[in-house]
Amino acid sequence: MTENTAPGRHDVIIIGAGAAGLYMLHTCRRMGLDAVVLERGDGVGGTWYWNRYPGARCDVESLDYSYSFDEDLQREWRWAEKYATQPEILAYLEHVADRFDLRRDIRLGADVVAADFDEADGAWRVRTTDGRETTATWVVAATGVLSAPKRTRFPGQDDFTGTVLNSARWPAGGHDFTGKRVAVIGTGSTGIQITPLVAQDAAKVFVLQRTPSFSVPAHNRTLTDEEFTAAVARYPERRRAARTTLLGVDTRNPDVSTFDVSEEEVQAAYRKTFDYGGPMKLLTTFNDPIVDKRANDVVAAFLADRIRERVGDPGLAERLIPDHPVGARRLCVDTDYYETLTRDNVELVDLRETPLLGFTPTGVRTSAADHDVDVIVLATGFDAITGPLRGIDPHGRGGASLRGKWDAYPASYLGLMVAGFPNLFTVTGPLSPSVNSNMFVAIEQHVEFIAKLLAHAAERGHTVIEATPEAEERWTAHAAEVAAGTVFPLADSWYNGANIAGKAGAVLPYLGGIGGYQARLDEIAADGFRGFETAGRPAAAPSA
Ligand code: NAP
């Protein structure tokens, strides 16, 4: 199905060689499309290439956090533990790149800085930092959702004479913390994973906490041969089920309300899912904490008690108990985080009591004290979901800027396309389930839908696909309505852009769940890809 006409013009440019980009390339190949991947890193793996900090691990179980598109691959890749480490996930993605011979179409070190739609030509011109321009009919932004680190500059940062390490740009060779004094800034999922590992080697660790997180233990362990064999035997069923659930894992959708059973039963049910470990089962113990604040208060109280239990010291525990609804900010997963905070060499610095004023030449300064350190670890988060594409700032019809559009509101049709930006697909874009689900399922959903949409256009001999403004408006309103019925708007978080100054305040992931979203995609495809217009040549904006 190769479509390109002009020499040097590809059918598809895929931006990013993470889990989404690799599968997109494989899919394009299978469709006979000529695709090239532009990847800014010096290796494949995306999120799992960059985030090499100590303790980096996924919070979705390894048996689920993997591709389902190839039977042999899923049978043969033997995950070692319940939750895979960053090195193992990176090794898996590298294996996929090799196994499917993807590397020959991946340009590493190709950092995309601009993308412009040439309306006359019906093509995207994509520029990289090396000044090279690459042209294609279609662009697939497989740019990831947590790949644009928040650009935090602290007062005095340039004068600090020690080492500053950003969790999302961790040195490939690691860092030796033995005997060092360290400040960790940030207590989200990343800070919570880093701290216990650093504290094992460092002389002293200051944990600088502005907003406490809820965190549940991972209860990580090795996967036994029996478990692995049993899981692999029923993999097709497990994968099918995952596509029908809220979170994209094979966990039943909850159908019981917190208030349908006795208080004792509620506590016992939460105890069971807490003891199992991880966020997925806990968040689906009952069907209402995400949509009913009163039900959320129940699980919040349960988790607050677990923090008190784990910390022991009541004063410390109270500083660690969040006041936002569970799940409205990412529920973190830890191995010994709270226990680590009780170590002699670890000190919690509560920035709500004593704000961080900046760096000194020898450490960090709060309103109460100077803390001298050798290393400052920034675990300060990301400009999530829209950030990576805001950085590239594609220009669509009439030279319109995507950043400009999303600065006003992160509108999108299905998280897949943006009106006014023909032939640009956004894998796990805003207003799709993305981070509020198992990302591998979300990625496969999108890549497979894009493939069907491309085939649909090709059958008509069409080379332009665009979301209509009306479809985008309806979907954007629907996503906002779903979000308004949840506890997500009740907290400032990266989910709603509140962690980035000036970012539009919309809940970015679609909260209708993977299963409901898949049903929508299927129905839209069956209805002639309703809301997407195709055309045979570059044309005026789609009709109303
Ligand atoms: P995050 O959740 O946004 O946490 C960033 C932390 O840095 C927050 O505690 C934040 O405090 C703090 N911070 C930011 N700017 C600050 C400043 N100027 N001064 C003081 N504190 C500041 O980012 P993250 O921990 O990197 O996690 C992002 C997401 O990545 C997670 O939610 C998760 O989805 C994913 N992730 C997953 C895993 C896993 O699978 N286990 C691990 C790591 C990351 P405020 O909240 O007060 O701003």
Side-chain angles (χ1 to χ4, degrees):
M1 178 177 148
T2 295
E3 294 172 346
N4 73 53
T5 45
R9 173 164 164 176
H10 299 278
D11 293 327
V12 188
I13 294 170
I14 299 163
I15 309 176
L22 294 179
Y23 184 38
M24 193 71 232
L25 174 58
H26 181 59
T27 303
C28 286
R29 290 244 192 99
R30 289 201 294 203
M31 295 175 77
L33 292 171
D34 158 36
V36 62
V37 178
L38 305 180
E39 164 56 53
R40 73 178 160 198
D42 290 328
V44 303
T47 289
W48 298 103
Y49 170 87
W50 296 103
N51 289 271
R52 302 162 178 258
Y53 58 82
R57 227 178 241 288
C58 185
D59 57 3
V60 178
E61 291 185 34
S62 50
L63 289 166
D64 296 308
Y65 192 78
S66 47
Y67 295 115
S68 71
F69 70 82
D70 189 272
E71 261 304 310
D72 292 340
L73 171 66
Q74 68 183 10
R75 260 200 307 268
E76 288 165 23
W77 186 269
R78 170 65 165 92
W79 295 103
E81 295 173 80
K82 179 180 169 191
Y83 295 102
T85 59
Q86 174 270 332
E88 193 181 11
I89 300 172
L90 183 58
Y92 170 74
L93 292 170
E94 286 173 342
H95 168 78
V96 168
D98 292 332
R99 184 177 184 122
F100 298 102
D101 187 24
L102 300 178
R103 292 185 195 267
R104 64 188 156 86
D105 288 320
I106 299 174
R107 256 168 49 202
L108 298 174
D111 192 357
V112 173
V113 285
D116 296 287
F117 187 63
D118 181 332
E119 291 188 58
D121 207 13
W124 281 92
R125 305 196 187 290
V126 173
R127 275 195 308 288
T128 38
T129 39
D130 57 9
R132 235 171 120 174
E133 187 173 270
T134 310
T135 304
T137 306
W138 317 99
V139 168
V140 178
T143 39
V145 288
L146 294 161
S147 54
K150 186 176 156 179
R151 292 167 196 270
T152 313
R153 291 302 292 179
F154 291 89
Q157 185 162 337
D158 290 340
D159 301 328
F160 177 62
T161 53
T163 305
V164 178
L165 297 173
N166 189 307
S167 59
R169 292 291 177 271
W170 205 261
H175 187 88
D176 183 6
F177 287 95
T178 309
K180 305 255 177 72
R181 294 172 63 83
V182 184
V184 178
I185 305 181
T187 51
S189 301
T190 302
I192 280 178
Q193 285 187 326
I194 289 178
T195 297
L197 273 289
V198 171
Q200 284 174 13
D201 297 331
K204 175 83 186 181
V205 180
F206 297 98
V207 177
L208 274 57
Q209 169 190 276
R210 190 163 63 184
T211 308
S213 298
F214 282 110
S215 183
V216 295
H219 293 316
N220 192 34
R221 53 182 171 71
T222 54
L223 279 181
T224 64
D225 285 341
E226 295 71 45
E227 271 177 304
F228 183 74
T229 308
V232 165
R234 63 172 292 275
Y235 238 142
E237 188 191 327
R238 184 183 183 115
R239 302 296 200 179
R240 265 195 308 277
R243 289 206 182 195
T244 67
T245 62
L246 274 172
L247 301 176
V249 294
D250 181 17
T251 306
R252 72 181 179 85
N253 279 338
D255 52 9
V256 178
S257 156
T258 308
F259 305 109
D260 282 348
V261 294
S262 72
E263 256 179 57
E264 292 72 34
E265 284 170 294
V266 170
Q267 294 299 312
Y270 275 129
R271 179 52 93 166
K272 191 169 165 204
T273 48
F274 180 86
D275 287 346
Y276 177 82
M280 297 295 201
K281 286 198 194 308
L282 189 113
L283 285 173
T284 51
T285 310
F286 294 101
N287 66 6
D288 43 4
I290 296 301
V291 293
D292 178 347
K293 175 69 168 53
R294 287 177 319 130
N296 199 288
D297 289 344
V298 174
V299 64
F302 172 85
L303 291 179
D305 282 345
R306 303 293 76 73
I307 294 173
R308 292 187 185 97
E309 255 168 28
R310 292 180 67 186
V311 170
D313 173 346
L316 178 60
E318 291 319 306
R319 292 152 78 202
L320 291 168
I321 294 172
D323 58 8
H324 56 261
V326 176
R329 294 164 61 94
R330 183 77 165 199
L331 178 59
C332 302
V333 184
D334 72 275
T335 298
D336 296 335
Y337 175 63
Y338 294 107
E339 294 74 8
T340 297
L341 293 173
T342 66
R343 288 173 66 120
D344 289 342
N345 68 335
V346 178
E347 184 176 330
L348 184 78
V349 179
D350 189 336
L351 300 180
R352 290 171 307 178
E353 291 168 3
T354 57
L356 180 60
L357 302 181
F359 293 8
T360 67
T362 53
V364 290
R365 173 170 295 160
T366 71
S367 61
D370 283 0
H371 301 290
D372 285 348
V373 294
D374 307 297
V375 186
I376 299 174
V377 173
L378 299 180
T380 45
F382 299 87
D383 182 351
I385 303 181
T386 49
L389 264 187
R390 286 169 84 226
I392 295 172
D393 193 16
H395 283 61
R397 280 194 193 283
S401 141
L402 185 59
R403 187 192 296 156
K405 177 163 175 162
W406 278 353
D407 278 353
Y409 197 90
S412 167
Y413 183 37
L414 297 165
L416 274 163
M417 289 197 103
V418 181
F421 295 82
N423 293 10
L424 171 66
F425 301 99
T426 55
V427 180
T428 64
L431 316 187
S432 72
S434 70
V435 281
N436 200 45
S437 69
N438 175 359
M439 279 298 285
F440 268 90
V441 173
I443 284 167
E444 288 192 340
Q445 261 183 343
H446 269 190
V447 170
E448 288 159 18
F449 188 87
I450 292 167
K452 284 188 210 153
L453 195 45
L454 288 173
H456 166 79
E459 278 164 21
R460 284 153 188 76
H462 288 177
T463 54
V464 181
I465 303 176
E466 188 168 1
T468 68
E470 296 72 26
E472 176 183 272
E473 199 180 318
R474 271 197 301 276
W475 182 258
T476 302
H478 167 67
E481 191 184 333
V482 173
T486 72
V487 296
F488 276 64
L490 302 183
D492 286 346
S493 71
W494 59 259
Y495 285 139
N496 54 29
N499 66 329
I500 302 294
K503 196 165 168 178
V507 175
L508 291 164
Y510 174 60
L511 301 180
I514 281 282
Y517 182 78
Q518 181 70 57
R520 289 267 186 164
L521 292 183
D522 293 344
E523 186 246 318
I524 286 166
D527 193 17
F529 292 89
R530 192 178 66 240
F532 296 99
E533 285 196 343
T534 65
R537 59 185 170 75
S543 57

